[in-house]
Structure formats: C-alpha cells, structure tokens
C-alpha cells in the first residue's frame, strides 16, 4: 500500500468519524432520554416487522444493527448523555461526585441556595394563607410539602436526583446502563452509520476519479462530508447512508456499462433499502443505454417496473400492517414551509453553478433528465426541507462541480 492510498484511507476514516459524531450529537443529543427510548422500542417493532411505514419497508438497517452492529464495542460520545448520567448519579465514581459538587458550588453557592429555599418557603406560606385563610391549616399543608423533600432538591440537587433516579423504572434507567440492550442498540445505529460512511466516501472517491484528477477527488471528500453532516439536521431515517451508498454504487455500475443482469440483481437488492432510489437507478440505466431495439426496450422496462412492483410487494404482502406515521403526500406542507425552498437552494447553490458542464460529458448529457422527476417526487411526497433527500443528486452531479471549479482555477481537466 503506497502513501497516497494510505492517506486517502486515513482521511476517509477520520472524516467518517467526524461526520458520525456530528450526527450523533444532533440526533441522540437532541432526542436525549425520551428519544433513545423511542428509538429502541421502534427498533424492536421494526425487527418484528410491525413498525411504521415507510421505515418498515426499508428493512436492511434493522437486522444489521440487531445481529451485528449492536455487538460492536464502539461507544459514541454525547455530552448531554454524559452530563445527565453524572447528574442523576448513574456514574458513581468519586471524581464525578466531586466535580458535581465543585460545579454546583461555583455556579450556585450554598448560601444562595439556602436563600432561595427561604424565599420559596415564604412564597408558599403566603399563597397557602391566601387560599386557606387559616394559619394553622396553611402551616400543616406546608409541613406536608416539606416532607416530600423538595427542599433537599434545592439545597443538594445532585443527592436528591440520585435518590429519585433509584426509583425510576428500568425502561428509563436502561438509557444510562452501558451494558443494557437499549444502549447497545443506540450505539449500534451510530456504528452502522460510521461503517457505511467509510464505505460511501470510498465509493464516492472511486466515482470522482472517473472524471477528475486524484487530488481533486481527494479534496472532494472533505466537501461532501460537509453535506453529509448537513443531512443530519432534519433526521428521521436510519437507512439514508446505506441507501446513498447503494445509489453511488449503482452509478458506477451504469457508468462502467456492467451487463443488464448485474444491474437487475443490484436493483432488486436496492429495493430493500429504498425503492425510490432503486427506481431512479433503473431510470438512469435506461437513459444511458436507451435503444429502440425491442430486446433492450424490454430489459429497460423490466428494470423500471421492478421497484414499482417491489413497492407493492413490500407494502401489501411482506409488511401489510405498516401504516404511514406522516402524510404520504406532503406538497401542501412544503408549499407553506419556507425552509422547503431555502434549504434546497443553499444545498445546490454550488453544484448548480456549473450545471452547463453536463453538456461536455456523454454520461451526464444522456442521463441528467432523471433529476427533474426526482426533485418533483421529493417535493410532492417528501419533506422538502430535509436536505438528506437530495444527497443522491449531489453525489451524481459532484464531478461536474469539481470540473467547473478546476477550470476556473486554470487546472488541467481530466
């Protein structure tokens, strides 16, 4: 292995770790306790085949996590999770307890906490007296309230939180148990995204090298990683990195003019990740190999029909009980959502500036039309502000952007 190859591989791993970490902070940190519990129970339903649509139809990620990635030793750092674990007393190390105390005393000294406690008690006395009109009764009620221990929460919140956490049900405490199945599944999803991001960037590098110089292909990895991270901003689907990998592999198979039966088998497999991506893989193949010859027209028709047929089979035969958790038609929501226009415009601002480069390449000149129905479909049936939906187009058109950028800086184009 030469130094150049080693540099590319190391860069891909580092970028994948960074992108996955950013995604973990944006997804798991945002979801926090409730979201992790929701992810776990949704995962169990999806494994059993009774989860919601369209997630259930995109089946591949769930057994990968259940039977492989959740058994990986990788644990992903999340600041919110670590802090909650420490504050609630699930991390019992003495250094953690000491740091909790130091932080509390630095931000809210004991004297100030005691003053707050006195102020709250006086406030309660005043309000209870106003309500009961009886000093004896108001004092009795206040005594009952004090016995509930709320004063300890003010004076020593960490000790109080630790007592509360010991009474929580296992469904919640499992979130903070590093050895629980819940935690393994959560880390398993992140590890799956990490692994497939490595594969995706590797395949993207190979795709770029068909059109641009090696150095440009290398630099493009950094740029595409930014868009991947952007894709986590409005995140709901665990399969999007895998489906993106499949899509770019499909582009390479088509560009290298692999036999029809190879693309056919690939499209069938792709249907179990995302049937819409499989459909447009078939469309791109048909556009690139278009012929009026009856045999080829039949082959192209079969290729396009398979994702449509598989959509029916998945929804009506394999997973007939899966119900959509959102509206299947989103056009009215998208029309009323300003981000549905702002995000895609910013997302495509750079690559579309060199869209005319398409005319200079036979592959892109023959196939570019697929982008129009793809965008229309996602605007009608998808949440258009979710830029992850457009990552396949970005991967497809990325070589044209970099060829254009090279030409502006007087680089020799490949």
């Amino acid at each position: 292995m030469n130094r150049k190859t080693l540099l590319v591989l190391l860069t891909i791993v580092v970028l994948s770790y960074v992108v996955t970490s950013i995604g973990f902070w944006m997804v798991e940190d945002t979801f926090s306790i409730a979201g992790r519990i929701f992810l776990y129970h949704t995962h169990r339903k999806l494994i059993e085949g009774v989860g919601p649509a369209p997630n259930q139809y995109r089946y591949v990620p769930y057994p990968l996590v259940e039977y492989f990635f959740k058994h990986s030793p990788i644990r992903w750092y999340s600041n919110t999770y670590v802090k909650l674990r420490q504050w609630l007393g699930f991390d019992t190390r003495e250094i953690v307890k000491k740091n909790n105390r130091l932080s509390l005393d630095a931000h809210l000294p004991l004297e100030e906490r005691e003053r707050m406690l006195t102020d709250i008690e006086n406030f309660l006395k005043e309000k209870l007296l106003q309500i009961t009109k009886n000093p004896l009764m108001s004092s009795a009620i206040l005594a009952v309230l004090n016995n509930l221990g709320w004063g300890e929460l003010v004076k020593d919140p960490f000790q109080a939180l630790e007592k509360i956490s010991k009474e929580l049900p296992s469904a919640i405490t499992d979130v903070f148990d590093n050895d629980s199945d819940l935690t393994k599944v959560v880390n398993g999803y992140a590890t799956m995204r990490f692994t497939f991001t490595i594969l995706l960037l590797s395949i993207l590098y190979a795709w770029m090298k068909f059109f641009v110089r090696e150095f440009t292909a290398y630099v493009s990895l950094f740029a595409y990683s930014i868009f991947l991270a952007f894709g986590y901003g409005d995140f709901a689907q665990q399969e999007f990195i895998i489906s993106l990998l499949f899509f770019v592999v499909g582009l390479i198979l088509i560009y290298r003019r692999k036999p029809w039966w190879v693309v056919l088998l690939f499209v069938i497999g792709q249907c179990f990740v995302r049937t819409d991506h499989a459909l447009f893989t078939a469309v791109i193949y048909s556009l690139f190999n278009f012929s009026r010859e009856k045999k080829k027209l039949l082959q192209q028709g079969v290729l396009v029909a398979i994702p449509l047929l598989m959509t029916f089979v998945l929804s009506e035969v394999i997973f007939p009980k899966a119900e959509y958790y959102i509206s299947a038609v989103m056009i009215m929501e998208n029309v009323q959502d300003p981000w549905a226009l702002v995000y895609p415009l910013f997302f495509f601002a750079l690559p579309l500036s060199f869209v005319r480069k398409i005319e200079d390449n036979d592959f892109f000149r023959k196939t570019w039309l697929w982008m129009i129905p793809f965008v229309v479909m996602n605007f009608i049936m998808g949440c258009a502000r979710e830029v992850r939906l457009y990552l396949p187009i970005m991967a497809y058109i990325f070589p044209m952007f970099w060829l254009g950028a090279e030409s502006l800086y007087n680089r020799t184009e490949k």
Side-chain angles (χ1 to χ4, degrees):
M1 183 182 296
N2 59 40
R3 292 177 64 185
K4 186 188 296 182
T5 303
L6 184 62
L7 174 65
V8 171
L9 291 177
L10 181 61
T11 300
I12 287 172
V13 171
V14 170
L15 288 176
S16 298
Y17 192 87
V18 170
V19 168
T20 305
S21 294
I22 292 172
F24 196 75
W25 302 334
M26 295 180 74
V27 177
E28 276 70 21
D29 262 12
T30 301
F31 287 166
S32 192
I33 298 175
R36 290 177 185 229
I37 294 171
F38 175 78
L39 171 62
Y40 178 69
H41 288 284
T42 301
H43 169 79
R44 297 257 65 90
K45 288 183 178 180
L46 292 164
I47 283 292
E48 295 166 7
V50 294
N55 304 44
Q56 184 66 81
Y57 308 147
R58 303 160 185 176
Y59 188 70
V60 168
Y62 318 125
L64 284 176
V65 170
E66 179 67 18
Y67 302 113
F68 183 72
F69 286 112
K70 83 172 187 181
H71 302 289
S72 165
I74 298 178
R75 291 178 182 171
W76 293 85
Y77 172 74
S78 164
N79 182 62
T80 301
Y81 173 80
V82 168
K83 290 299 182 185
L84 285 172
R85 193 168 186 271
Q86 292 175 348
W87 293 345
L88 291 171
F90 290 100
D91 191 333
T92 58
R93 291 176 298 163
E94 287 301 320
I95 185 65
V96 171
K97 293 181 178 180
K98 180 182 177 181
N99 287 337
N100 283 345
R101 174 65 59 188
L102 289 172
S103 178
L104 177 63
D105 290 341
H107 291 91
L108 205 62
L110 180 59
E111 297 81 8
E112 191 171 336
R113 298 200 299 273
E114 289 177 340
R115 188 164 57 250
M116 287 173 58
L117 181 59
T118 302
D119 291 341
I120 293 172
E121 285 182 339
N122 291 334
F123 173 78
L124 289 174
K125 284 180 182 178
E126 182 182 341
K127 292 301 176 184
L128 286 171
L129 189 58
Q130 288 178 3
I131 295 171
T132 63
K133 309 295 184 182
N134 188 317
L136 186 61
M137 184 178 293
S138 62
S139 297
I141 295 173
L142 184 61
V144 172
L145 292 175
N146 287 338
N147 287 334
L148 295 176
W150 66 270
E152 289 300 316
L153 188 61
V154 177
K155 290 181 66 176
D156 193 344
F158 292 119
Q159 186 175 350
L161 287 172
E162 186 173 348
K163 289 180 181 178
I164 294 171
S165 66
K166 290 179 180 178
E167 304 300 323
L168 294 174
S170 60
I172 295 177
T173 58
D174 280 351
V175 172
F176 301 102
D177 182 357
N178 287 331
D179 296 320
S180 70
D181 191 57
L182 186 152
T183 299
K184 290 178 180 178
V185 166
V186 170
N187 284 318
Y189 273 106
T191 304
M192 178 189 69
R193 300 196 294 258
F194 173 55
T195 302
F196 279 94
T197 302
I198 291 174
L199 295 174
L200 170 62
L201 292 180
S202 300
I203 292 298
L204 183 72
Y205 178 73
W207 168 243
M208 293 293 297
K209 280 176 62 180
F210 291 133
F211 306 97
V212 299
R213 298 177 305 121
E214 282 187 323
F215 177 73
T216 305
Y218 173 73
V219 173
S220 73
L221 296 175
F222 291 85
Y224 200 78
S225 296
I226 295 172
F227 292 111
L228 282 178
F230 194 13
Y232 282 102
D234 204 326
F235 182 82
Q237 310 295 331
Q238 292 290 349
E239 94 298 324
F240 90 102
I241 293 291
I242 303 178
S243 61
L244 189 55
L245 168 66
F246 267 74
F247 188 83
V248 181
V249 169
L251 291 177
I252 292 176
L253 293 177
I254 296 167
Y255 182 78
R256 295 296 300 272
R257 294 190 180 276
K258 295 300 180 181
W260 173 81
W261 65 268
V262 172
V263 180
L264 174 68
L265 293 176
F266 178 80
V267 166
I268 293 172
Q270 194 179 11
C271 286
F272 290 94
V273 182
R274 280 192 71 130
T275 53
D276 54 340
H277 287 187
L279 172 63
F280 283 99
T281 297
V283 169
I284 293 171
Y285 174 88
S286 300
L287 289 171
F288 190 48
N289 297 279
F290 181 75
S291 171
R292 296 184 184 277
E293 184 182 334
K294 287 186 178 180
K295 180 182 177 181
K296 289 188 175 180
L297 280 175
L298 179 61
Q299 288 177 339
Q300 292 161 12
V302 168
L303 207 60
V304 171
I306 283 176
L308 300 175
L309 177 62
M310 283 300 298
T311 299
F312 174 80
V313 171
L314 286 166
S315 60
E316 301 298 330
V317 180
I318 302 179
F319 304 114
K321 295 182 179 180
E323 295 184 4
Y324 276 82
Y325 64 90
I326 56 173
S327 173
V329 178
M330 300 283 291
I331 187 168
M332 290 307 298
E333 288 87 341
N334 290 329
V335 169
Q336 297 171 19
D337 184 359
W339 301 110
L341 293 176
V342 172
Y343 270 10
L345 286 175
F346 271 90
F347 189 69
F348 287 120
L350 291 175
L352 288 180
S353 60
F354 297 107
V355 72
R356 292 189 64 180
K357 283 286 179 182
I358 286 175
E359 299 174 357
D360 302 332
N361 184 277
D362 184 60
F363 175 79
F364 291 99
R365 187 172 59 252
K366 289 181 178 179
T367 60
W368 71 270
L369 277 172
W370 77 274
M371 292 188 289
I372 296 175
F374 185 86
V375 170
V376 171
M377 179 197 71
N378 279 298
F379 198 82
I380 293 175
M381 303 183 67
C383 187
R385 68 171 179 269
E386 296 184 17
V387 295
R388 64 178 177 81
L389 296 174
Y390 308 107
L391 285 167
I393 290 183
M394 182 65 76
Y396 168 84
I397 205 172
F398 225 40
M400 295 298 97
F401 165 68
W402 285 99
L403 282 173
E406 277 188 339
S407 66
L408 282 182
Y409 287 92
N410 298 317
R411 301 288 186 181
T412 303
E413 294 185 28
K414 190 174 179 180

